[in-house]
């Protein structure tokens, strides 16, 4: 009986990380903290289904790079596919609010590791 209980507990512990990862909620962020623009709320809530929006706001990419990033998340991370209209809203907001940034003068500056 003790072996059964220990095996059951080990099984529950093994499952715990997967459960914890699927329950992310952006409790410390709200759309109002980020750049205003058409599509901000929809983009915020779409992105925060999986990760914090601060991760998004740190990026600086072209529309094509944002589009590639969305495709990568759909392909590799099981993000639900977006219809054309929703994808256009997200891309429009991301392109306007978080465009590529010029490197800081003299030091090369921050480079987005995901930008091609």
């Amino acid at each position: 009986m003790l072996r059964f209980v220990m095996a059951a507990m080990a099984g529950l512990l093994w499952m715990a990380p997967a459960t914890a990862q699927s329950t992310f909620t952006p409790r410390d962020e709200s759309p109002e903290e980020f750049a205003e623009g058409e599509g901000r709320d929809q983009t915020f809530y779409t992105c925060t289904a999986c990760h914090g929006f601060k991760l998004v706001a740190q990026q600086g990419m072209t529309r094509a790079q944002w589009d590639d990033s969305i495709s990568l998340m759909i392909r590799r991370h099981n993000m639900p596919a977006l219809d054309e209209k929703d994808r256009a809203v997200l891309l429009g907001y991301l392109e306007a609010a978080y465009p590529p940034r010029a490197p800081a003068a003299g030091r090369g500056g921050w480079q987005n590791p995901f930008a091609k």
Side-chain angles (χ1 to χ4, degrees):
M1 178 70 168
L2 180 59
R3 283 186 185 175
F4 174 76
V5 171
M6 290 177 64
M9 289 177 62
L12 290 174
L13 291 174
W14 177 77
M15 292 172 53
T19 303
Q21 290 175 4
S22 66
T23 59
F24 170 81
T25 55
R27 297 183 198 287
D28 62 337
E29 298 177 341
S30 68
E32 296 77 23
E33 296 175 55
F34 300 95
E36 287 188 29
E38 187 175 334
R40 177 186 64 189
D41 289 3
Q42 183 177 350
T43 304
F44 176 86
Y45 289 112
T46 299
C47 296
T48 59
C50 297
H51 54 73
F53 202 75
K54 290 176 186 172
L55 177 69
V56 175
Q58 293 172 17
Q59 310 303 309
M61 297 191 276
T62 65
R63 184 181 188 93
Q65 290 167 329
W66 283 116
D67 194 44
D68 288 346
S69 182
I70 291 171
S71 294
L72 175 109
M73 288 182 281
I74 290 169
R75 193 173 58 253
R76 288 195 180 164
H77 302 294
N78 297 320
M79 176 183 167
L82 302 168
D83 65 31
E84 284 185 39
K85 182 179 177 184
D86 289 338
R87 194 171 184 131
V89 169
L90 267 62
L91 290 172
Y93 174 75
L94 293 169
E95 176 184 33
Y98 303 106
R101 294 186 300 262
R107 293 185 282 181
W110 180 82
Q111 296 293 319
N112 183 331
F114 302 105
K116 291 182 181 177

